[in-house]
Amino acid sequence: MWTADEIAQLCYEHYGSRLPKQGKPEPNREWTLLAAVVKIQPTADQACDRPDRPVQVTKEVVSMGTGTKCIGQSKMRKSGDILNDSHAEVIARRSFQRYLLHQLHLAASLKEDSIFVPGTQRELWKLRPDLLFVFFSSHTPCGDASIIPMLQFEDQPCCPVSRDWANNPSVEASDNLEAPEDKRKCEDSDSSVTKKMRLEPRTPDGMAHHQSFGSQESGPNSPDVSSSNLTAEEPAAVTGMAPGGAKVVDIYRTGAKCVPGEAGDSGKPGAAYHRVGLLRVKPGRGDRTCSMSCSDKLARWNVLGCQGALLMHFLEEPIYLSAVVIGKCPYSQEAMQRALIGRCQNVSALPEGFGVQEVKIQQSDLLFEQSRCAVQSKKAENQGRLVPCGAAISWSAVPEQPLDVTANGFPQGTTKKGIGRLQARSRISKVELFRSFQKLLSSISEDKWPDSLRVQKPVTYHEYKEAASTYQRAWSALRKQAFGSWIRNPPDYQQFK
């Protein structure tokens, strides 16, 4: 039906042809990360009388995002007009929500074909049964999925490790492994070995992938928090042997930090540095963020869906991803399974329609040409330090203004004096997605509103989200059973109208 390489190639081509030069990395100096949602649909002319024939499908990118940064807590705004998290995966998902809102508008107006069809419940919609969505990311998601083994004498990308290693990597690290401080000293030298090491980033999530706005790159950082199958007293560490007897000499490290107040990383030398299965937040430079890691967010979407609370007012069931495809980079299939599925696998008693999905996870062999690894491999030694691109690009398959380029959480070029004005809002900011939701609501006569909105009469963004009672029950069950330490923004950051 489709392959991981086909998905990656489609996304890379879309990035090259549909996204503007504005917001892309400066050649030979900057890098970025890419994520997208791809719609998969069987071709209309397929013969139903040939069940033995391979299913032919059309593949279409419906949302895309680039970005490597997020803002610190002190820069958050109660007006909902700033992007707190501009990592590519989050930009792609918010762009996907914009696409879903447009498709709901088409369905409600009954004027054009939509991806939605009427559900069995009054005034609710559901996804057409022949459609599915694949999530693509050029790199392993930051956080738990990026804590993977570094094997002795291996080349990039990191080869997969055994399921036993990923789920129970609790053997103590050998005493002769270098401490992180010693590694940094080694990397400061000019030997041919360390030059090779510089070409091979130590963190699969890209090191500076997690830095706050205004920051550059930093050395390996420490990370995360609680899971359904790891206790606070006994979180696993990452050490041991990989298949074929290769020795795990270290791990690729995530910059994501353990959630405050929970058991943290051991910080031990080498492969025992991190504990796995924990919730993590993206770090800032001196200003802690409130943004959960992309591994954690993908795991949440795999239970609650990608649509969020607002759109659930109009939907009979969540919009789930059928597959996640990762581009060429340091990668562990088992770490991905653990981070996205395993941590929630015991969650039960969810409302009807919700469930832990067995999302298919695959890796492509195709490298993103503006990834850190690709850019660094082409860069001459005298061209200066490589830094993450400060801008983020959002693209949605919508007819009006599909593109959105931001920096520091606002449209690129926004001045301090301009903040607070309508033109200083990203089209995928909370307040603008809420405005699109309200526009959809106003286009429908009140007697055709879903019951969840006709009964409660919410006013603020927070009230509209809370009124999606089925979604909120599912989210409460997920927090209680797996993600109890999830950082939630205070309600006063959601009181805008």
Side-chain angles (χ1 to χ4, degrees):
M1 192 161 75
W2 55 266
T3 67
D5 283 354
E6 288 172 350
I7 297 295
Q9 187 62 39
L10 178 70
C11 294
Y12 296 158
E13 289 174 357
H14 190 95
Y15 173 85
S17 62
R18 303 295 291 274
L19 268 58
K21 184 177 179 181
Q22 180 192 10
K24 288 182 177 176
E26 183 182 324
N28 299 316
R29 199 185 83 84
E30 294 180 328
W31 57 273
T32 194
L33 298 170
L34 176 70
V37 177
V38 177
K39 181 180 73 172
I40 308 290
Q41 182 176 6
T43 54
D45 58 349
Q46 284 195 108
C48 297
D49 58 348
R50 292 287 305 276
D52 57 326
R53 181 178 164 190
V55 178
Q56 301 297 309
V57 297
T58 58
K59 300 179 288 293
E60 178 191 0
V61 175
V62 295
S63 78
M64 180 165 280
T66 72
T68 66
K69 297 178 181 284
C70 56
I71 65 168
Q73 186 173 1
S74 66
K75 291 185 172 66
M76 291 171 61
R77 291 169 55 84
K78 295 181 180 179
S79 50
D81 60 355
I82 189 170
L83 293 176
N84 296 334
D85 189 341
S86 292
H87 283 212
E89 297 94 326
V90 176
I91 297 291
R93 185 257 186 163
R94 298 188 73 81
S95 304
F96 183 52
Q97 289 177 316
R98 191 177 175 213
Y99 165 77
L100 293 176
L101 275 163
H102 172 66
Q103 290 293 321
L104 278 170
H105 193 89
L106 293 180
S109 66
L110 304 175
K111 292 178 182 176
E112 297 180 51
D113 285 341
S114 168
I115 64 171
F116 294 109
V117 295
T120 57
Q121 300 177 47
R122 180 187 178 278
E123 309 305 339
L124 295 184
W125 302 88
K126 63 181 181 180
L127 190 65
R128 280 171 47 180
D130 60 335
L131 299 182
L132 58 87
F133 294 104
V134 175
F135 191 87
F136 173 76
S137 176
S138 64
H139 217 287
T140 328
C142 64
D144 195 53
S146 285
I147 304 173
I148 61 179
M150 185 183 295
L151 305 184
Q152 195 169 29
F153 308 123
E154 76 168 339
D155 257 343
Q156 303 260 358
C158 187
C159 66
V161 293
S162 71
R163 185 171 302 277
D164 289 342
W165 177 88
N167 291 330
N168 188 29
S170 55
V171 183
E172 284 297 317
S174 59
D175 294 332
N176 60 355
L177 297 182
E178 294 176 308
E181 295 79 8
D182 295 328
K183 290 187 183 110
R184 283 195 284 272
K185 289 174 186 175
C186 289
E187 289 171 4
D188 288 337
S189 71
D190 290 323
S191 72
S192 60
V193 174
T194 54
K195 285 178 182 174
K196 182 172 185 287
M197 288 167 65
R198 289 191 189 117
L199 298 181
E200 301 177 350
R202 287 208 174 260
T203 56
D205 48 15
M207 291 164 79
H209 178 77
H210 301 286
Q211 299 308 307
S212 63
F213 284 117
S215 69
Q216 303 284 307
E217 295 177 79
S218 71
N221 285 315
S222 51
D224 299 20
V225 191
S226 83
S227 89
S228 57
N229 57 357
L230 293 174
T231 66
E233 292 76 29
E234 297 180 321
V238 175
T239 55
M241 302 292 285
K247 184 180 180 182
V248 177
V249 295
D250 204 341
I251 49 167
Y252 290 92
R253 298 178 185 177
T254 178
K257 307 289 186 183
C258 294
V259 170
E262 290 290 332
D265 293 309
S266 71
K268 292 179 181 178
Y273 185 85
H274 281 311
R275 293 185 174 108
V276 299
L278 307 180
L279 288 173
R280 298 177 182 268
V281 291
K282 295 162 184 171
R285 282 262 173 114
D287 185 13
R288 183 178 286 274
T289 79
C290 291
S291 298
M292 301 300 294
S293 75
C294 289
S295 291
D296 299 334
K297 290 185 176 183
L298 278 159
R300 174 180 171 173
W301 304 340
N302 196 47
V303 179
L304 303 183
C306 286
Q307 75 293 321
L310 286 183
L311 271 68
M312 275 308 297
H313 284 294
F314 287 99
L315 297 176
E316 193 166 272
E317 52 196 28
I319 306 297
Y320 287 115
L321 300 168
S322 294
V324 173
V325 174
I326 304 297
K328 187 175 183 179
C329 63
Y331 177 86
S332 162
Q333 181 73 21
E334 286 71 29
M336 286 288 295
Q337 291 280 147
R338 176 194 71 223
L340 273 56
I341 304 171
R343 295 186 293 170
C344 302
Q345 64 187 358
N346 296 323
V347 173
S348 59
L350 291 165
E352 186 178 356
F354 289 86
V356 182
Q357 305 299 298
E358 283 296 325
V359 62
K360 183 161 67 172
I361 302 172
Q362 296 185 1
Q363 186 184 28
S364 166
D365 284 328
L366 304 182
L367 182 68
F368 178 44
E369 65 179 6
Q370 293 195 307
S371 66
R372 184 178 187 267
C373 185
V375 175
Q376 188 145 27
S377 67
K378 296 175 185 176
K379 187 175 76 72
E381 283 287 326
N382 59 358
Q383 285 183 313
R385 190 181 186 192
L386 197 62
V387 298
C389 181
I393 307 174
S394 159
W395 182 92
S396 299
V398 297
E400 295 182 14
Q401 299 177 310
L403 277 163
D404 194 54
V405 182
T406 55
N408 303 315
F410 294 110
Q412 198 170 46
T414 299
T415 61
K416 285 187 178 180
K417 185 181 278 189
I419 292 174
R421 297 175 182 172
L422 287 177
Q423 60 266 37
R425 295 176 176 176
S426 163
R427 296 183 185 97
I428 57 170
S429 62
K430 287 187 181 74
V431 69
E432 282 298 295
L433 287 178
F434 185 40
R435 187 183 68 83
S436 297
F437 173 82
Q438 291 171 312
K439 189 176 178 181
L440 168 65
L441 205 55
S442 65
S443 71
I444 304 169
S445 60
E446 194 167 337
D447 62 312
K448 292 187 176 180
W449 284 7
D451 292 341
S452 60
L453 294 176
R454 286 191 303 113
V455 175
Q456 299 197 40
K457 302 286 186 184
V459 176
T460 66
Y461 176 75
H462 178 73
E463 288 170 354
Y464 269 99
K465 289 182 68 173
E466 289 299 311
S469 56
T470 306
Y471 179 91
Q472 295 300 342
R473 289 202 310 274
W475 180 208
S476 177
L478 177 60
R479 290 198 311 275
K480 286 178 182 177
Q481 297 178 57
F483 288 161
S485 300
W486 192 283
I487 294 178
R488 304 178 73 193
N489 294 333
D492 57 339
Y493 281 90
Q494 301 183 357
Q495 296 304 323
F496 51 88
K497 301 177 182 179

